[in-house]
Amino acid sequence: YTEEFRSFLYEALRNVEEKYWTVSTAYEAQFVRECTFCYELYQQMRRLQESGKYSNSQFFDFNGEIDKRGYLPDDEQNEQNKAIEKNPDFVIHHGGDNEYNMVVMEVKGCIDARYKKGIEKDFEMLSTFISNQILRYRFDIFLLYGHTQDELKFLLDKRSIPVQKRDGIYVITIK
């Protein structure tokens, strides 16, 4: 993916303070809440976009949890297109123009055996978006915060997660 977008995303990630990685309760327990992290990441991306530091970012819209229902004509609906009715955590694109569909991103902040199926489903969904010839996303990102790639590989039995990229899906971890 483009060097500028990678720099843009990494800077936005560095700007997300750790207090947004978990949510405290009145009983001192800490819980991972991906939506809290995603809202702050969205805010940091918007701040960078508005700063003008990354010129190409001015061209893209950042949307959270939008789907593509109703996007394709009825005669083009098939099993592959039904799969894109999912709501990815982030869609980065230029709305209304398939030529500039850039990124679909899924975010996870907790990995243990309870989340294994959900993570595998995220990879399936991302693969569907990247392979869809109508939408033509340039790449997809699986973003894992609070863990390393080694922890992710261990959870998934080292079989399905690449070190950096698989089938157009980039895996980014931040601890």
Side-chain angles (χ1 to χ4, degrees):
Y1 50 100
T2 68
E3 188 64 36
E4 182 173 307
F5 180 78
R6 183 171 56 196
S7 297
F8 172 85
L9 179 59
Y10 285 151
E11 184 169 347
L13 285 168
R14 282 191 302 273
N15 292 339
V16 175
E17 296 177 41
E18 284 192 40
K19 69 182 181 180
Y20 296 104
W21 293 29
T22 58
V23 175
S24 298
T25 69
Y27 304 102
E28 297 183 25
Q30 295 280 324
F31 292 97
V32 172
R33 293 293 183 253
E34 291 163 16
C35 60
T36 303
F37 180 88
C38 286
Y39 293 159
E40 182 61 15
L41 178 57
Y42 177 87
Q43 178 67 21
Q44 295 302 329
M45 288 191 299
R46 289 300 306 250
R47 284 182 179 160
L48 280 176
Q49 183 183 42
E50 291 167 2
S51 76
K53 181 176 180 180
Y54 297 93
S55 60
N56 287 335
S57 73
Q58 304 303 308
F59 189 65
F60 293 101
D61 299 319
F62 301 94
N63 297 115
E65 299 214 23
I66 62 169
D67 61 35
K68 295 292 185 175
R69 274 187 294 238
Y71 174 78
L72 300 170
D74 288 340
D75 61 336
E76 294 181 13
Q77 295 293 334
N78 60 36
E79 286 304 310
Q80 180 179 2
N81 295 332
K82 287 179 185 174
I84 63 172
E85 294 179 356
K86 307 289 186 206
N87 296 6
D89 292 320
F90 287 95
V91 175
I92 301 166
H93 62 154
H94 184 212
D97 190 345
N98 278 355
E99 287 298 313
Y100 301 103
N101 281 344
M102 187 175 219
V103 180
V104 173
M105 183 165 54
E106 274 298 305
V107 178
K108 284 286 180 266
C110 189
I111 59 169
D112 62 27
R114 294 174 295 171
Y115 295 95
K116 183 176 179 176
K117 275 195 185 236
I119 291 170
E120 290 172 345
K121 283 183 181 183
D122 285 349
F123 273 92
E124 286 176 30
M125 180 190 59
L126 290 170
S127 293
T128 301
F129 272 90
I130 197 71
S131 64
N132 188 288
Q133 297 303 307
I134 296 167
L135 298 175
R136 299 191 310 245
Y137 281 90
R138 292 197 175 115
F139 55 92
D140 295 340
I141 295 173
F142 180 83
L143 171 63
L144 176 65
Y145 69 94
H147 299 278
T148 65
Q149 282 197 3
D150 287 340
E151 290 171 316
L152 181 61
K153 286 179 187 180
F154 181 78
L155 173 71
L156 298 177
D157 303 321
K158 301 180 182 181
R159 59 181 145 70
S160 60
I161 300 300
V163 173
Q164 291 183 349
K165 181 181 176 189
R166 183 186 87 191
D167 301 329
I169 300 171
Y170 289 84
V171 177
I172 298 172
T173 58
I174 181 171
K175 182 127 180 167

